[in-house]
Amino acid sequence: MNRRRVVVLARAGGARDRTEVAVREAGADVAASLDPLTTSIDDVRAVAPDALVVVLDPVAETALGKFDDLLADPALEVMFDDADVAARRDGWEAARWARHMAAKLYGHGDVLPAVPERAGRHDFNAEMQELTLQVASMPQVPQAPAHPPRQREGAVVVVAGIGGPDAVRQLLAALPANFPRPVLLRQKIEGGQYDKLVRQMQRATTMQVVLAQAGEPLQQGAVHVLPDGLDVGETPAGLVFIETAAEPRFAALPAGDSAMLLLSGADPGMLDVAMTLRWGGGLVYGQAPENCFDPAASKALVARGGESRSLAVMGLQLLERWHA
């Protein structure tokens, strides 16, 4: 197997150093490490990389505009990471990120490193086999009707977490600017820098990306990034964002005209919300474990009778359900 050539586009520092280590542990070669502030798109192309890892921080983001053509190149595998997260990643998380890179670079589904043994715990493989048998014996959950009656317009909820930015970008890139439903992105961000997430996602989609605020209505053709403390409520004028002290439950969304997608790192606590939406006729999928950095929520969904899909298929099914 030929080793893939990877360019790390990041400012100098601990985040770049750890990313270089992860690339090598993924079985690839660091063709170059380039500072986005002083590097041109021609500099990157001259190295002839197979893949590009972009490590984002507020300063680096200001220079990404000149690389738009490169980031949109279908022949180039592009991965994004957050500098703050990359600089602190170590141990098992670092190993898992390296496996995630390897899966993206070489197209296999082996994304989880071996779980470290702990005294007093059962063998991990034995536990997983036991769990598999328990899941197999569970009754199948009836599939929701394919075409439930529609009364009010709903929304598409995308839930993500660790390892989610790449997945979210790929999904949003598949949706047109005039997608006829609001998209609600709930991705927990350490430090609450949701305005930063808005800027990052705007580079990935032609849809308008905005930061949701209490009292504002949901808009078709827009990606609403939900910060902490917001949910969706219903008013005589339609659906609006409302304040909440807990995680959003999206109970106001009409299930028959809504969707929920559990991507990499999604909070497993959203599983009950997803199943309720599914039973009401909503489109609910988890991200397929292949190339998924953290598939815990998706696997739990499947264990309860739900389904998983690849990101590409998710995008196609959204477009089939709601024609732009």
Side-chain angles (χ1 to χ4, degrees):
M1 179 176 64
N2 294 329
R3 290 172 67 91
R4 307 275 281 174
R5 291 170 52 81
V6 179
V7 166
V8 177
L9 195 61
R11 295 201 301 149
R16 186 165 84 178
D17 294 343
R18 294 200 175 196
T19 300
E20 291 172 356
V21 172
V23 169
R24 295 187 181 99
E25 290 182 348
D29 293 326
V30 178
S33 288
L34 304 173
D35 188 326
L37 299 183
T38 58
T39 298
S40 70
I41 190 171
D42 291 334
D43 294 333
V44 179
R45 292 194 186 278
V47 183
D50 300 303
L52 178 67
V53 179
V54 183
V55 183
L56 296 169
D57 63 50
V59 177
E61 284 184 49
T62 63
L64 284 190
K66 60 184 175 182
F67 299 105
D68 283 347
D69 289 345
L70 187 70
L71 299 177
D73 186 347
L76 188 67
E77 181 71 54
V78 179
M79 288 173 274
F80 293 87
D81 199 5
D82 184 274
D84 290 339
V85 175
R88 294 193 302 270
R89 191 182 288 126
D90 59 11
W92 194 79
E93 287 295 334
R96 183 167 65 161
W97 182 245
R99 291 290 187 97
H100 175 68
M101 279 191 177
K104 297 275 286 185
L105 291 170
Y106 295 108
H108 64 72
D110 184 15
V111 298
L112 293 179
V115 175
E117 295 183 0
R118 293 179 174 85
R121 296 193 59 176
H122 293 89
D123 178 77
F124 179 73
N125 290 330
E127 289 183 359
M128 291 304 297
Q129 290 174 3
E130 181 181 354
L131 178 61
T132 299
L133 293 174
Q134 291 175 358
V135 170
S137 66
M138 294 174 65
Q140 291 292 322
V141 177
Q143 181 67 37
H147 299 287
R150 296 181 178 178
Q151 298 178 353
R152 296 174 292 124
E153 289 190 352
V156 175
V157 179
V158 179
V159 186
I162 296 175
D166 270 340
V168 175
R169 286 183 178 88
Q170 292 181 51
L171 179 68
L172 295 183
L175 303 181
N178 60 342
F179 184 69
R181 291 295 181 273
V183 176
L184 314 183
L185 174 58
R186 178 55 180 157
Q187 180 171 346
K188 291 184 179 180
I189 298 294
E190 189 172 342
Q193 298 178 331
Y194 291 97
D195 54 340
K196 177 180 176 182
L197 183 62
V198 169
R199 296 195 300 271
Q200 292 178 8
M201 292 303 147
Q202 188 62 79
R203 296 184 181 280
T205 180
T206 57
M207 298 179 68
Q208 181 186 16
V209 183
V210 297
L211 185 64
Q213 298 186 38
E216 291 185 346
L218 281 63
Q219 301 178 21
Q220 292 184 2
V223 179
H224 299 271
V225 174
L226 268 69
D228 300 332
L230 282 189
D231 199 349
V232 176
E234 186 177 8
T235 71
L239 297 173
V240 300
F241 295 106
I242 60 173
E243 294 182 349
T244 179
E247 278 296 298
R249 310 307 289 174
F250 303 107
L253 294 179
D257 194 58
S258 295
M260 178 170 286
L261 307 177
L262 303 179
L263 304 190
S264 176
D267 182 359
M270 295 299 294
L271 187 59
D272 286 341
V273 178
M275 293 304 297
T276 298
L277 193 72
R278 185 172 185 267
W279 290 329
L283 192 70
V284 175
Y285 293 117
Q287 183 179 347
E290 299 80 9
N291 296 339
C292 182
F293 182 61
D294 181 0
S298 182
K299 288 183 175 181
L301 176 69
V302 172
R304 290 182 58 175
E307 301 172 272
S308 64
R309 293 287 188 273
S310 69
L311 295 170
V313 172
M314 282 185 185
L316 289 174
Q317 291 190 310
L318 290 178
L319 294 175
E320 288 176 0
R321 182 100 175 224
W322 295 287
H323 300 286

